[in-house]
Amino acid sequence: MTTTHLIAVDSDACGPFRSAKVFIKLLRGISAWSKLRGARQVLVHVTTGTAIKQTDRLMRAGGGACLGGSYVVAV
C-alpha cells in the first residue's frame, strides 16, 4: 500500500475545472508509480476539513472509496 499525505493543486491559479483534472491525473500517476512497486492500493489522507463534499466527489471520481477520514484507491 502507498500512503499519500498530500496532493495539492493551486485552484486559485488553475480554476476549479482544471484543478480537478490535474488532481485526477496526479492521482493516476501515484497509482501507476505504486503499481510498479507492487502496491495494490493507494491510501489518500484527507485532513484539511474544507470543501468536504467537493473533495468526496473528486476522490470518488478518481476511483476512491471512503475509509474513515481517508480514501482507498485500487491500483
Side-chain angles (χ1 to χ4, degrees), residues 7 21-35 42 61-63 73 75:
I7 302 173
K21 288 181 72 171
V22 168
F23 180 87
I24 295 297
K25 288 184 180 201
L26 287 170
L27 186 57
R28 288 185 182 148
I30 293 166
S31 294
W33 181 89
S34 300
K35 189 173 185 176
V42 174
V73 179
V75 175

Side-chain angles (χ1 to χ4, degrees), residues 3-68:
T3 300
T4 304
H5 293 279
L6 178 68
I7 302 173
V9 179
D10 187 353
S11 59
D12 291 337
C14 298
F17 180 72
R18 183 170 286 161
S19 293
K21 288 181 72 171
V22 168
F23 180 87
I24 295 297
K25 288 184 180 201
L26 287 170
L27 186 57
R28 288 185 182 148
I30 293 166
S31 294
W33 181 89
S34 300
K35 189 173 185 176
L36 287 173
R37 283 150 183 83
R40 293 182 302 188
Q41 297 172 321
V42 174
L43 182 63
V44 180
H45 298 281
V46 179
T47 58
T48 63
T50 59
I52 295 169
K53 288 182 182 180
Q54 294 87 343
T55 301
D56 181 64
R57 196 167 48 241
L58 187 59
M59 286 303 305
R60 290 180 191 278
C66 189
L67 177 69

